[in-house]
mmCIF file with all atom_site columns, all heavy atoms in Angstrom:
data_model
loop_
_atom_site.group_PDB
_atom_site.id
_atom_site.type_symbol
_atom_site.label_atom_id
_atom_site.label_alt_id
_atom_site.label_comp_id
_atom_site.label_asym_id
_atom_site.label_entity_id
_atom_site.label_seq_id
_atom_site.pdbx_PDB_ins_code
_atom_site.Cartn_x
_atom_site.Cartn_y
_atom_site.Cartn_z
_atom_site.occupancy
_atom_site.B_iso_or_equiv
_atom_site.pdbx_formal_charge
_atom_site.auth_seq_id
_atom_site.auth_comp_id
_atom_site.auth_asym_id
_atom_site.auth_atom_id
_atom_site.pdbx_PDB_model_num
ATOM 1  N N   . SER A 1 87  ? 10.026 18.084 11.793  1.00 0.00 ? 455 SER A N   1
ATOM 2  C CA  . SER A 1 87  ? 9.901  19.324 12.560  1.00 0.00 ? 455 SER A CA  1
ATOM 3  C C   . SER A 1 87  ? 9.023  20.303 11.778  1.00 0.00 ? 455 SER A C   1
ATOM 4  O O   . SER A 1 87  ? 8.825  20.145 10.573  1.00 0.00 ? 455 SER A O   1
ATOM 5  C CB  . SER A 1 87  ? 11.268 19.961 12.753  1.00 0.00 ? 455 SER A CB  1
ATOM 6  O OG  . SER A 1 87  ? 12.149 19.035 13.304  1.00 0.00 ? 455 SER A OG  1
ATOM 7  N N   . ALA A 1 88  ? 8.562  21.329 12.473  1.00 0.00 ? 456 ALA A N   1
ATOM 8  C CA  . ALA A 1 88  ? 7.698  22.331 11.834  1.00 0.00 ? 456 ALA A CA  1
ATOM 9  C C   . ALA A 1 88  ? 8.410  22.955 10.636  1.00 0.00 ? 456 ALA A C   1
ATOM 10 O O   . ALA A 1 88  ? 9.594  23.282 10.713  1.00 0.00 ? 456 ALA A O   1
ATOM 11 C CB  . ALA A 1 88  ? 7.331  23.407 12.846  1.00 0.00 ? 456 ALA A CB  1
ATOM 12 N N   . GLY A 1 89  ? 7.689  23.078 9.521   1.00 0.00 ? 457 GLY A N   1
ATOM 13 C CA  . GLY A 1 89  ? 8.231  23.736 8.336   1.00 0.00 ? 457 GLY A CA  1
ATOM 14 C C   . GLY A 1 89  ? 9.156  22.864 7.496   1.00 0.00 ? 457 GLY A C   1
ATOM 15 O O   . GLY A 1 89  ? 9.746  23.338 6.523   1.00 0.00 ? 457 GLY A O   1
ATOM 16 N N   . ALA A 1 90  ? 9.282  21.575 7.844   1.00 0.00 ? 458 ALA A N   1
ATOM 17 C CA  . ALA A 1 90  ? 10.212 20.690 7.119   1.00 0.00 ? 458 ALA A CA  1
ATOM 18 C C   . ALA A 1 90  ? 9.842  20.574 5.644   1.00 0.00 ? 458 ALA A C   1
ATOM 19 O O   . ALA A 1 90  ? 8.656  20.587 5.282   1.00 0.00 ? 458 ALA A O   1
ATOM 20 C CB  . ALA A 1 90  ? 10.203 19.308 7.766   1.00 0.00 ? 458 ALA A CB  1
ATOM 21 N N   . HIS A 1 91  ? 10.881 20.415 4.812   1.00 0.00 ? 459 HIS A N   1
ATOM 22 C CA  . HIS A 1 91  ? 10.651 20.270 3.367   1.00 0.00 ? 459 HIS A CA  1
ATOM 23 C C   . HIS A 1 91  ? 10.442 18.798 3.010   1.00 0.00 ? 459 HIS A C   1
ATOM 24 O O   . HIS A 1 91  ? 11.257 17.936 3.356   1.00 0.00 ? 459 HIS A O   1
ATOM 25 C CB  . HIS A 1 91  ? 11.854 20.832 2.590   1.00 0.00 ? 459 HIS A CB  1
ATOM 26 C CG  . HIS A 1 91  ? 11.678 20.766 1.101   1.00 0.00 ? 459 HIS A CG  1
ATOM 27 N ND1 . HIS A 1 91  ? 12.644 20.283 0.243   1.00 0.00 ? 459 HIS A ND1 1
ATOM 28 C CD2 . HIS A 1 91  ? 10.643 21.133 0.318   1.00 0.00 ? 459 HIS A CD2 1
ATOM 29 C CE1 . HIS A 1 91  ? 12.189 20.348 -1.009  1.00 0.00 ? 459 HIS A CE1 1
ATOM 30 N NE2 . HIS A 1 91  ? 10.980 20.868 -0.985  1.00 0.00 ? 459 HIS A NE2 1
ATOM 31 N N   . VAL A 1 92  ? 9.327  18.510 2.321   1.00 0.00 ? 460 VAL A N   1
ATOM 32 C CA  . VAL A 1 92  ? 8.975  17.154 1.925   1.00 0.00 ? 460 VAL A CA  1
ATOM 33 C C   . VAL A 1 92  ? 8.821  17.117 0.410   1.00 0.00 ? 460 VAL A C   1
ATOM 34 O O   . VAL A 1 92  ? 8.223  18.019 -0.181  1.00 0.00 ? 460 VAL A O   1
ATOM 35 C CB  . VAL A 1 92  ? 7.640  16.722 2.591   1.00 0.00 ? 460 VAL A CB  1
ATOM 36 C CG1 . VAL A 1 92  ? 7.200  15.348 2.101   1.00 0.00 ? 460 VAL A CG1 1
ATOM 37 C CG2 . VAL A 1 92  ? 7.766  16.729 4.114   1.00 0.00 ? 460 VAL A CG2 1
ATOM 38 N N   . VAL A 1 93  ? 9.367  16.077 -0.223  1.00 0.00 ? 461 VAL A N   1
ATOM 39 C CA  . VAL A 1 93  ? 9.214  15.906 -1.669  1.00 0.00 ? 461 VAL A CA  1
ATOM 40 C C   . VAL A 1 93  ? 8.353  14.661 -1.890  1.00 0.00 ? 461 VAL A C   1
ATOM 41 O O   . VAL A 1 93  ? 8.622  13.604 -1.324  1.00 0.00 ? 461 VAL A O   1
ATOM 42 C CB  . VAL A 1 93  ? 10.593 15.762 -2.354  1.00 0.00 ? 461 VAL A CB  1
ATOM 43 C CG1 . VAL A 1 93  ? 10.433 15.472 -3.846  1.00 0.00 ? 461 VAL A CG1 1
ATOM 44 C CG2 . VAL A 1 93  ? 11.424 17.023 -2.131  1.00 0.00 ? 461 VAL A CG2 1
ATOM 45 N N   . ALA A 1 94  ? 7.295  14.818 -2.698  1.00 0.00 ? 462 ALA A N   1
ATOM 46 C CA  . ALA A 1 94  ? 6.362  13.712 -2.931  1.00 0.00 ? 462 ALA A CA  1
ATOM 47 C C   . ALA A 1 94  ? 6.028  13.624 -4.416  1.00 0.00 ? 462 ALA A C   1
ATOM 48 O O   . ALA A 1 94  ? 6.166  14.612 -5.142  1.00 0.00 ? 462 ALA A O   1
ATOM 49 C CB  . ALA A 1 94  ? 5.085  13.934 -2.110  1.00 0.00 ? 462 ALA A CB  1
ATOM 50 N N   . PRO A 1 95  ? 5.564  12.450 -4.883  1.00 0.00 ? 463 PRO A N   1
ATOM 51 C CA  . PRO A 1 95  ? 5.215  12.330 -6.302  1.00 0.00 ? 463 PRO A CA  1
ATOM 52 C C   . PRO A 1 95  ? 3.918  13.082 -6.626  1.00 0.00 ? 463 PRO A C   1
ATOM 53 O O   . PRO A 1 95  ? 2.967  13.042 -5.842  1.00 0.00 ? 463 PRO A O   1
ATOM 54 C CB  . PRO A 1 95  ? 5.027  10.829 -6.526  1.00 0.00 ? 463 PRO A CB  1
ATOM 55 C CG  . PRO A 1 95  ? 5.015  10.188 -5.195  1.00 0.00 ? 463 PRO A CG  1
ATOM 56 C CD  . PRO A 1 95  ? 5.381  11.176 -4.151  1.00 0.00 ? 463 PRO A CD  1
ATOM 57 N N   . HIS A 1 96  ? 3.886  13.746 -7.764  1.00 0.00 ? 464 HIS A N   1
ATOM 58 C CA  . HIS A 1 96  ? 2.689  14.513 -8.138  1.00 0.00 ? 464 HIS A CA  1
ATOM 59 C C   . HIS A 1 96  ? 1.489  13.603 -8.391  1.00 0.00 ? 464 HIS A C   1
ATOM 60 O O   . HIS A 1 96  ? 0.345  14.034 -8.304  1.00 0.00 ? 464 HIS A O   1
ATOM 61 C CB  . HIS A 1 96  ? 2.976  15.398 -9.371  1.00 0.00 ? 464 HIS A CB  1
ATOM 62 C CG  . HIS A 1 96  ? 3.191  14.625 -10.646 1.00 0.00 ? 464 HIS A CG  1
ATOM 63 N ND1 . HIS A 1 96  ? 2.528  14.891 -11.813 1.00 0.00 ? 464 HIS A ND1 1
ATOM 64 C CD2 . HIS A 1 96  ? 3.989  13.560 -10.920 1.00 0.00 ? 464 HIS A CD2 1
ATOM 65 C CE1 . HIS A 1 96  ? 2.914  14.039 -12.750 1.00 0.00 ? 464 HIS A CE1 1
ATOM 66 N NE2 . HIS A 1 96  ? 3.801  13.236 -12.234 1.00 0.00 ? 464 HIS A NE2 1
ATOM 67 N N   . ASP A 1 97  ? 1.770  12.313 -8.693  1.00 0.00 ? 465 ASP A N   1
ATOM 68 C CA  . ASP A 1 97  ? 0.661  11.393 -8.968  1.00 0.00 ? 465 ASP A CA  1
ATOM 69 C C   . ASP A 1 97  ? 0.496  10.366 -7.840  1.00 0.00 ? 465 ASP A C   1
ATOM 70 O O   . ASP A 1 97  ? 0.149  9.217  -8.077  1.00 0.00 ? 465 ASP A O   1
ATOM 71 C CB  . ASP A 1 97  ? 0.840  10.700 -10.327 1.00 0.00 ? 465 ASP A CB  1
ATOM 72 C CG  . ASP A 1 97  ? 2.224  10.056 -10.470 1.00 0.00 ? 465 ASP A CG  1
ATOM 73 O OD1 . ASP A 1 97  ? 3.042  10.159 -9.531  1.00 0.00 ? 465 ASP A OD1 1
ATOM 74 O OD2 . ASP A 1 97  ? 2.481  9.454  -11.530 1.00 0.00 ? 465 ASP A OD2 1
ATOM 75 N N   . CYS A 1 98  ? 0.761  10.794 -6.582  1.00 0.00 ? 466 CYS A N   1
ATOM 76 C CA  . CYS A 1 98  ? 0.596  9.862  -5.458  1.00 0.00 ? 466 CYS A CA  1
ATOM 77 C C   . CYS A 1 98  ? -0.895 9.604  -5.178  1.00 0.00 ? 466 CYS A C   1
ATOM 78 O O   . CYS A 1 98  ? -1.769 10.288 -5.719  1.00 0.00 ? 466 CYS A O   1
ATOM 79 C CB  . CYS A 1 98  ? 1.295  10.392 -4.204  1.00 0.00 ? 466 CYS A CB  1
ATOM 80 S SG  . CYS A 1 98  ? 0.673  11.961 -3.598  1.00 0.00 ? 466 CYS A SG  1
ATOM 81 N N   . TYR A 1 99  ? -1.149 8.630  -4.306  1.00 0.00 ? 467 TYR A N   1
ATOM 82 C CA  . TYR A 1 99  ? -2.516 8.285  -3.884  1.00 0.00 ? 467 TYR A CA  1
ATOM 83 C C   . TYR A 1 99  ? -3.271 9.558  -3.475  1.00 0.00 ? 467 TYR A C   1
ATOM 84 O O   . TYR A 1 99  ? -2.718 10.432 -2.788  1.00 0.00 ? 467 TYR A O   1
ATOM 85 C CB  . TYR A 1 99  ? -2.422 7.305  -2.711  1.00 0.00 ? 467 TYR A CB  1
ATOM 86 C CG  . TYR A 1 99  ? -3.746 6.920  -2.117  1.00 0.00 ? 467 TYR A CG  1
ATOM 87 C CD1 . TYR A 1 99  ? -4.626 6.094  -2.804  1.00 0.00 ? 467 TYR A CD1 1
ATOM 88 C CD2 . TYR A 1 99  ? -4.121 7.389  -0.859  1.00 0.00 ? 467 TYR A CD2 1
ATOM 89 C CE1 . TYR A 1 99  ? -5.842 5.741  -2.246  1.00 0.00 ? 467 TYR A CE1 1
ATOM 90 C CE2 . TYR A 1 99  ? -5.340 7.037  -0.301  1.00 0.00 ? 467 TYR A CE2 1
ATOM 91 C CZ  . TYR A 1 99  ? -6.192 6.216  -1.004  1.00 0.00 ? 467 TYR A CZ  1
ATOM 92 O OH  . TYR A 1 99  ? -7.396 5.874  -0.460  1.00 0.00 ? 467 TYR A OH  1
ATOM 93 N N   . GLY A 1 100 ? -4.528 9.668  -3.895  1.00 0.00 ? 468 GLY A N   1
ATOM 94 C CA  . GLY A 1 100 ? -5.306 10.885 -3.676  1.00 0.00 ? 468 GLY A CA  1
ATOM 95 C C   . GLY A 1 100 ? -5.374 11.311 -2.212  1.00 0.00 ? 468 GLY A C   1
ATOM 96 O O   . GLY A 1 100 ? -5.272 12.497 -1.897  1.00 0.00 ? 468 GLY A O   1
#
Side-chain angles (χ1 to χ4, degrees):
S455 307
H459 182 228
V460 175
V461 175
H464 69 129
D465 51 359
C466 61
Y467 177 71

